[in-house]
Amino acid sequence: MPISKKWVILIPAIAGIAALMALKKSSQPPVQEPPQEQAQLIRVIRVPSVTVIPTARGYGTVKPSRTWDGVAQVKGKIVQKHPKLQKGAILEGGSLILRIDPTDYELAIAQAEADMLATRAQLDELLAKGTNTEASLKIEQAALALNRKELERKRKLVGKGGVSRSDLETQERSVLSQQQSVQTQLNTLNLIPSQKALLEAQLERYQASLATARRNLANTEIRLPFTSRIAQVNVEQDQYVREGELLVSADDLDEAEIEVQIPINQMSQLIHANQTIDVLNLNPSETRRQVGLSATVKLQENSLQATWPARFARISDTLDPKTRTVGVIVAIDKPYNNVLPGSRPPLLKGLFVQVTLAGKARPDSLVVPRSALHAGRLYVVDEQQRLDIRPVEVGILQSGFATIESELAAREQVVISDLVPAVQGMLLKPVVDQAAEQRLARIAQGETAP
């Protein structure tokens, strides 16, 4: 019994070992399949060809295009002040805002006019004197001629004894005396032109004094040259003012200006012309037309938002060497028009606003997201669905997009998702992001902000 139990245990064990050895001898090695390339899932856009409007943005403070300082040109006491002349008031152009006491200047006018009348009377007197002197001269000359004839007659009679020597000498003295009378009249006539010139010079001086007095009288009235908003008032009723003293400051309401600083590289992308511009001899409107810049002003203060159409006015006179920016000045017509309380305020002086400059439209431009650029290269999906790392030439470079000048065709697929690592020729599985395509087209055309 013990022996039979032992074999019962050993026989199955021996059979199992034999079976394992038989399987090992008859087994085949495993078949290895070649490795399969896995496609990388990515997002792409089909490069659109659109009309691009390059833009640049800057911030600046609103200020009036014209300011006026009312300075006293004459001295005196303020005798009249406009009842609405206060800081912040809006007054029409031509309004009389201040009047200085005109009494002294009215007296100066009366004195100058009196001096002129006296001088004219002296001129008339001199003219009459000249006429009388000419008449007297003719009489004296006639008397001289008679005396000379008498002298000749007596000279002939002296030799015959008909006239004494003393009578002849008396006649000679009479002729000399008459000559002296004629010379006196001539001297009087010779002095008349110089006397007339002196009186005429005095008359011109009095006329100048009269013009000065009238101008001073006109300067006693201080009027606004244009419709303005009062910015400063430094004078009160009955106050004495001196020449050169600033009385009032006012701001023009017809036009406002904003100066913004734009980087030079962005300005070079905005300004695009096909011909040279003669800046010195070109009128401002023609310059603006050739430069082709337009502008929009936007105010955003918490929930308050408003926009105004603007125009490019001019380039500032200096370049900031530290920030490498150029000042661009834009103008807004009628900044106080179309005011809606609570939603659209007037474009007040001192408001901090955003200015968007737009250049000329450039049709048929190939655009890609700026984020798709990798050091001047694009990741392009080729016809075999593989990655082509392609160097390209960039044209316009904006904050949300870039235009490509060469090495890219319209509708090619450009990778816009992160691809790490990016290996030339790697297999891709592109998915077109149509929403990104539409957003890119709108940004490029200037319809939405990046």
Side-chain angles (χ1 to χ4, degrees), residues 118 241 378:
V241 297
L378 288 176

Side-chain angles (χ1 to χ4, degrees), residues 115-409:
D115 290 338
M116 290 176 61
L117 287 175
T119 304
R120 288 195 177 100
Q122 291 177 350
L123 281 172
D124 293 339
E125 180 184 356
L126 185 62
L127 180 61
K129 181 180 180 180
T131 302
N132 295 337
T133 302
E134 289 177 352
S136 298
L137 177 61
K138 290 180 181 180
I139 295 172
E140 296 294 338
Q141 288 175 338
L144 177 62
L146 291 175
N147 284 333
R148 284 175 176 172
K149 287 182 180 181
E150 183 64 19
L151 178 62
E152 290 297 326
R153 187 181 69 80
K154 288 184 177 182
R155 282 176 178 173
K156 292 178 181 179
L157 293 176
V158 167
K160 298 178 181 181
V163 176
S164 66
R165 176 60 62 177
S166 62
D167 289 341
L168 179 61
E169 291 176 351
T170 300
Q171 186 62 38
E172 288 177 345
R173 286 194 294 271
S174 178
V175 170
L176 291 174
S177 176
Q178 191 63 39
Q179 286 179 341
Q180 182 64 39
S181 297
V182 171
Q183 186 62 45
T184 300
Q185 301 298 327
L186 288 173
N187 291 341
T188 301
L189 287 176
N190 291 335
L191 290 175
I192 286 177
S194 60
Q195 294 173 347
K196 181 182 178 182
L198 176 61
L199 291 174
E200 289 176 344
Q202 289 179 354
L203 182 61
E204 290 181 357
R205 184 181 64 186
Y206 294 142
Q207 287 174 340
S209 298
L210 178 61
T212 301
R214 286 175 174 170
R215 185 189 63 184
N216 289 338
L217 180 61
N219 288 335
T220 60
E221 293 185 353
I222 301 175
R223 298 178 180 271
L224 286 177
F226 43 76
T227 300
S228 311
R229 187 166 194 172
I230 305 303
Q232 186 178 1
V233 180
N234 299 327
V235 68
E236 294 296 337
Q237 181 81 22
D238 297 329
Q239 180 179 338
Y240 185 85
V241 297
R242 298 173 178 83
E243 294 182 21
E245 188 174 342
L246 177 62
L247 307 179
V248 179
S249 294
D251 299 330
D252 185 16
L253 299 181
D254 288 335
E255 184 179 273
E257 289 185 347
I258 305 164
E259 181 175 355
V260 294
Q261 298 296 321
I262 304 296
I264 297 176
N265 59 339
Q266 293 188 23
M267 281 300 300
S268 64
Q269 295 176 3
L270 290 180
I271 300 177
H272 180 74
N274 297 324
Q275 59 184 2
T276 59
I277 298 176
D278 187 356
V279 177
L280 297 179
N281 299 318
L282 203 63
N283 62 66
S285 60
E286 183 65 17
T287 301
R288 289 193 292 267
R289 187 189 65 82
Q290 292 199 22
V291 170
L293 285 180
S294 59
T296 303
V297 175
K298 182 178 181 180
L299 170 66
Q300 186 168 1
E301 291 286 346
N302 298 325
S303 61
L304 183 63
Q305 294 187 4
T307 59
W308 292 265
R311 68 177 187 278
F312 166 74
R314 59 192 179 277
I315 299 291
S316 182
D317 60 330
T318 56
L319 173 70
D320 191 330
K322 295 182 179 180
T323 60
R324 306 301 298 170
T325 58
V326 61
V328 179
I329 300 171
V330 300
I332 304 95
D333 295 323
K334 306 298 181 183
Y336 279 72
N337 283 8
N338 302 321
V339 174
L340 293 176
S343 60
R344 182 182 173 85
L347 200 56
L348 298 173
K349 178 178 67 175
L351 281 177
F352 189 70
V353 294
Q354 174 187 282
V355 176
T356 301
L357 296 171
K360 288 183 177 179
R362 305 187 188 183
D364 303 326
S365 298
L366 301 180
V367 295
V368 297
R370 182 166 179 170
S371 59
L373 283 171
H374 305 277
R377 299 178 298 173
L378 288 176
Y379 296 165
V380 183
V381 181
D382 63 13
E383 296 178 354
Q384 288 75 37
Q385 304 296 296
R386 294 187 176 276
L387 177 63
D388 180 13
I389 302 177
R390 187 181 303 176
V392 293
E393 181 182 351
V394 179
I396 300 173
L397 190 63
Q398 300 274 275
S399 58
F401 70 93
T403 63
I404 306 302
E405 302 291 337
S406 64
E407 308 301 329
L408 188 68

